[in-house]
Amino acid sequence: MDARLKASNMDAPGIINGNRMPSEKTVEIIENVFAKFAGFKKSEPLRKKITRVIEGKSDIEIMEWINYMMTSHGDAELFTLAEDLTNHETFFFRDIIQLQCFEYEILPAIIKQKKKDNDRVIRIWSGACSTGEEAYSLAMIACKFMEANNLATISESGQVFFKDNWNLKIYGTDISRQVVAIARNGIYSDAGLSPFRSFPPQYYRFFDFLGKNEDRLYHQNSKNYGVKKGIKDLTTFECHNLNSKDLPLMLKGMDVIFLRNTMIYLDADSQAQILKKFHTALSKKAYLVLSVVDRMHVPELYSEVRLDKNIVYRKS
Ligand SMILES: C[S@@+](CC[C@H](N)C(=O)[O-])C[C@H]1O[C@@H](n2cnc3c(N)ncnc32)[C@H](O)[C@@H]1O
């Protein structure tokens, strides 16, 4: 790797307000290593975050750490670094217009096609799921739709019973192990700028109320909710770096992939590689939903579909 660091290459760090500040060059080396790993764009905010991670550490410590990250065992360390360098902002039913397109246009089209193909398993992947809100929103929308269309019944306790061999599998993956653990847990608080900030009330039936946080100062008397077991059972959350070459078997044969509010952090080449990987992960003519601001870098692999209020892509 061209960014390989030797102790002698590191220029002198400065002292600001009593804190040892890493040199710009050191920060840039780490930025290069991480950008290559996760596909990130190089940027001032990224360098600031890196500076915060390493300030106060000695040159030797940093040097050994960087050299280790660049060995074949270094990925575990890079996944750990990703915890500090990624933005996990998310909430339930985010970008609702796109989710309405999913409910009213994409899902009916998928089910119609599956009936023709005699295939009864709907497979959905939230490609950078953060703490799970996107994946759970998709699961709840799909369950409600299948119930309304007589393909499933949902009991009072939230258990989902599919009819005629229908099934629903929702996969959520993220580069951060910490957010994946939160997603698996499926417990959310409505404190402050909460994941429930634009939550359609009819979907509270898919949650168990877990009680109030009595502490007014820190928790603002917030309430906790747990995703019901019936919905959790439909989901699988795993740590996965989209910018890696591998595509685990469980992520193949997808009917729709969502990758929203994530491409913005990635450089153009990595975006293109990820779109190619999704092409392999999608089943024939399956759908890809990106954020409205995202660019399709490999138009030869997808066709653009103009829905009522949104543009999505289909595997060509
Ligand atoms: C802003 S959140 C978006 C979450 C959700 N998709 C949404 O729209 O609300 C971006 C997520 O992308 C994840 N991420 C960034 N780079 C990634 C990569 N190379 N592979 C997998 N996940 C990545 C981050 O860890 C973060 O949780």
Side-chain angles (χ1 to χ4, degrees):
M1 201 174 280
D2 56 2
R4 190 164 290 274
L5 179 77
K6 293 281 171 258
S8 57
N9 287 344
M10 287 175 68
D11 54 345
I15 308 264
I16 296 181
N17 296 333
N19 279 336
R20 228 165 161 283
M21 294 301 289
S23 72
E24 270 177 36
K25 190 168 167 189
T26 307
V27 172
E28 269 172 31
I29 291 167
I30 297 170
E31 183 186 32
N32 285 338
V33 176
F34 183 75
K36 188 169 177 194
F37 172 71
F40 266 45
K41 266 182 214 159
K42 295 179 196 169
S43 69
E44 191 51 37
L46 182 62
R47 286 190 287 279
K48 278 198 179 132
K49 286 183 183 174
I50 293 170
T51 305
R52 256 179 264 133
V53 172
I54 60 174
E55 72 190 358
K57 292 194 167 65
S58 74
D59 290 352
I60 297 281
E61 254 182 295
I62 298 173
M63 181 206 72
E64 284 178 356
W65 181 58
I66 296 171
N67 281 336
Y68 181 72
M69 283 195 292
M70 293 193 294
T71 66
S72 53
H73 306 293
D75 275 13
E77 203 56 47
L78 282 157
F79 275 109
T80 304
L81 179 59
E83 306 291 352
D84 290 310
L85 305 186
T86 44
N87 170 359
H88 304 133
E89 166 70 8
T90 187
F91 50 96
F92 289 110
F93 292 86
R94 185 176 194 176
D95 304 329
I96 190 82
I97 304 250
Q98 288 193 310
L99 297 183
Q100 286 166 348
C101 288
F102 169 65
E103 178 170 2
Y104 299 121
E105 300 185 76
I106 297 175
L107 210 41
I110 290 173
I111 289 173
K112 194 171 165 197
Q113 188 59 46
K114 288 208 170 260
K115 280 181 180 164
K116 275 193 203 150
D117 297 346
N118 208 16
D119 170 12
R120 293 285 186 267
V121 187
I122 301 168
R123 296 160 60 82
I124 302 169
W125 179 14
S126 163
C129 67
S130 186
T131 37
E133 287 86 335
E134 180 174 75
Y136 286 128
S137 302
L138 297 169
M140 292 177 213
I141 291 169
C143 282
K144 183 172 147 284
F145 180 88
M146 292 178 83
E147 182 187 43
N149 287 277
N150 207 20
L151 305 175
T153 54
I154 303 170
S155 72
E156 269 297 294
S157 65
Q159 205 58 38
V160 185
F161 300 98
F162 293 106
K163 299 182 180 174
D164 304 327
N165 290 331
W166 282 97
N167 208 338
L168 178 62
K169 291 181 187 287
I170 314 277
Y171 299 87
T173 62
D174 201 282
I175 198 169
S176 155
R177 297 187 201 106
Q178 285 174 10
V179 295
V180 166
I182 294 171
R184 282 187 190 137
N185 208 19
I187 294 177
Y188 302 91
S189 152
D190 68 357
L193 194 58
S194 92
F196 295 99
R197 71 191 76 155
S198 65
F199 195 75
Q202 71 266 32
Y203 286 97
Y204 274 111
R205 65 187 278 227
F206 293 111
F207 285 87
D208 292 315
F209 174 57
L210 301 179
K212 271 188 179 172
N213 289 304
E214 298 300 340
D215 181 324
R216 214 147 40 99
L217 188 60
Y218 291 108
H219 298 291
Q220 305 153 18
N221 277 343
S222 58
K223 301 181 202 78
N224 291 327
Y225 296 90
V227 178
K228 282 200 160 108
K229 185 173 178 302
I231 295 291
K232 277 175 89 175
D233 285 349
L234 307 175
T235 61
T236 304
F237 291 100
E238 291 295 340
C239 182
H240 176 70
N241 176 8
L242 290 173
N243 197 45
S244 67
K245 290 213 166 60
D246 66 309
L247 178 65
L249 197 59
M250 74 164 195
L251 297 174
K252 289 187 180 157
M254 291 296 149
D255 296 303
V256 50
I257 300 177
F258 281 77
L259 185 68
R260 302 186 304 158
N261 305 299
T262 302
M263 294 271 252
I264 189 169
Y265 302 105
L266 309 176
D267 65 57
D269 279 355
S270 306
Q271 291 184 24
Q273 287 314 312
I274 290 168
L275 293 170
K276 284 184 192 163
K277 177 161 158 165
F278 285 165
H279 189 263
T280 310
L282 287 165
S283 64
K284 212 172 100 193
K285 300 258 180 197
Y287 292 83
L288 172 65
V289 182
L290 304 174
S291 288
V292 280
V293 292
D294 291 335
R295 237 186 82 202
M296 171 46 73
H297 295 269
V298 282
E300 66 281 11
L301 297 183
Y302 293 91
S303 50
E304 206 177 87
V305 185
R306 284 174 187 273
L307 300 179
D308 188 21
K309 290 185 183 144
N310 193 25
I311 292 175
V312 298
Y313 298 94
R314 277 186 97 170
K315 175 170 169 160
S316 297

